Amino acid sequence: MTASSLLPSASSLLLLRRHALPVGRRSRPVAPVRALSAPATLTQDDLKKLAAVKAVEYVSSGMVLGLGTGSTAAFVVAEIGALLSSGKLSDIVGVPTSKRTYEQALSLGIPLSTLDDHPRIDLAIDGADEVDPDLNLVKGRGGALLREKMVEAASDKFVVVADETKLVTGLGGSGLAMPVEVVQFCWKYNQTRLQELFKEEGCEAKLRLDDGGKPYVTDNSNYIVDLYFKTPIKDAPAAGKEISALEGVVEHGLFLDMATAVIIAGKDGVTMTTK
């Protein structure tokens, strides 16, 4: 796979401005950059590719990188692999957040390691399932939330890439799953407790199943209980603490105050918001 194969056709490319990645303050969102010519209709995958390519601009030779999991993160990993293959990047070490990402990165010739050997990561790049106005996230619909949170918490900078469909006014607002990883022992007990915890938000808790109808098992041999909210979570930090306090809960998909920058690709261009 080459870097050029990751991009939409020339008629639909959007010009991406280069920006430094400031840390420690919130800047105004970058104005969308208009298409060079009237673009063809961009698919969701096209938008993910644009955001991924923009994020990889912040990768420098010699970095230790956290490699995310999911459809958008796969474009990031592919772009890094292409730049390594072409010689435009060198001396990269990747710390993958899932077996799936490990296998993809290995196939692309990206040198890999673990948090045990590289406990400090220069930059992590990953997708998100929801992004709120404060750059808080829901992640983990791909099933890798525990490893993602461990790697991204160990990173000096965490850049999120997503398309505009992931924007919400409040976490849980998409009505899609907010995952909670739980131990297999008495999972139903925790499913009931999680649903009761958020009854005011009209929460429905469901055990995640695989394509064969059996319980989905994470890379850490746990189950996932997905929470579906009828209204957004009222207090995400408090919700995260309450979930984590339940015995048998391993991790939850609320990634709060972790993102350094969020790159969003929309049909009119690419925007970036930083903290």
Side-chain angles (χ1 to χ4, degrees):
M1 181 180 293
T2 65
S4 61
S5 68
L6 297 172
L7 296 173
S9 62
S11 65
S12 63
L13 275 174
L14 305 184
L15 180 62
L16 303 178
R17 295 175 180 169
R18 304 183 71 89
H19 299 276
L21 187 59
V23 179
R25 65 182 179 85
R26 175 74 57 83
S27 66
R28 293 182 179 178
V30 180
V33 183
R34 296 293 177 179
L36 294 174
S37 60
T41 300
L42 296 178
T43 67
Q44 191 172 17
D45 274 353
D46 290 335
L47 298 177
K48 291 176 181 179
K49 293 173 190 176
L50 288 171
V53 170
K54 178 62 179 176
V56 175
E57 291 182 7
Y58 299 111
V59 177
S60 300
S61 294
M63 278 187 168
V64 178
L65 298 174
L67 304 177
T69 297
S71 58
T72 306
F75 291 127
V76 172
V77 175
E79 178 71 358
I80 292 169
L83 292 174
L84 277 172
S85 178
S86 69
K88 294 179 181 178
L89 282 178
S90 61
D91 300 319
I92 293 295
V93 175
V95 178
T97 56
S98 67
K99 293 178 181 177
R100 189 189 334 160
T101 299
Y102 172 87
E103 291 169 356
Q104 181 194 11
L106 194 66
S107 73
L108 295 171
I110 300 174
L112 299 175
S113 187
T114 66
L115 280 176
D116 289 335
D117 293 328
H118 289 86
R120 178 183 169 276
I121 296 173
D122 296 301
L123 170 68
I125 306 176
D126 204 353
D129 300 310
E130 292 183 3
V131 181
D132 79 3
D134 295 321
L135 307 191
N136 292 317
L137 317 169
V138 167
K139 288 178 50 55
R141 288 183 192 144
L145 58 155
L146 174 58
R147 297 190 186 188
E148 287 174 338
K149 190 170 285 188
M150 290 177 68
V151 169
E152 287 147 16
S155 302
D156 290 343
K157 298 176 184 177
F158 173 29
V159 175
V160 176
V161 288
D163 65 88
E164 61 188 356
T165 65
K166 304 302 190 296
L167 297 175
V168 296
T169 56
L171 298 183
S174 69
L176 300 176
M178 197 288 283
V180 180
E181 188 163 344
V182 301
V183 297
Q184 293 190 31
F185 175 74
C186 294
W187 64 265
K188 197 168 186 179
Y189 167 70
N190 270 322
Q191 177 184 344
T192 301
R193 293 203 294 173
L194 286 164
Q195 183 161 307
E196 180 65 18
L197 192 61
F198 297 105
K199 62 182 180 181
E200 291 186 7
E201 287 88 354
C203 174
E204 184 177 7
K206 295 182 178 180
L207 181 69
R208 183 177 298 188
L209 304 179
D210 62 20
D211 292 339
K214 296 181 179 180
Y216 176 90
V217 178
T218 71
D219 287 347
N220 316 295
S221 300
N222 297 313
Y223 287 169
I224 288 181
V225 173
D226 286 318
L227 306 183
Y228 297 86
F229 297 91
K230 291 184 179 178
T231 60
I233 299 169
K234 296 175 182 177
D235 186 338
K241 290 179 181 178
E242 290 179 318
I243 294 170
S244 295
L246 297 178
E247 301 82 6
V249 165
V250 180
E251 192 51 84
H252 57 74
L254 297 173
F255 284 55
L256 308 176
D257 198 28
M258 292 182 65
T260 305
V262 175
I263 297 172
I264 298 290
K267 297 190 182 301
D268 292 325
V270 174
T271 62
M272 182 177 70
T273 304
T274 65
K275 280 188 175 179

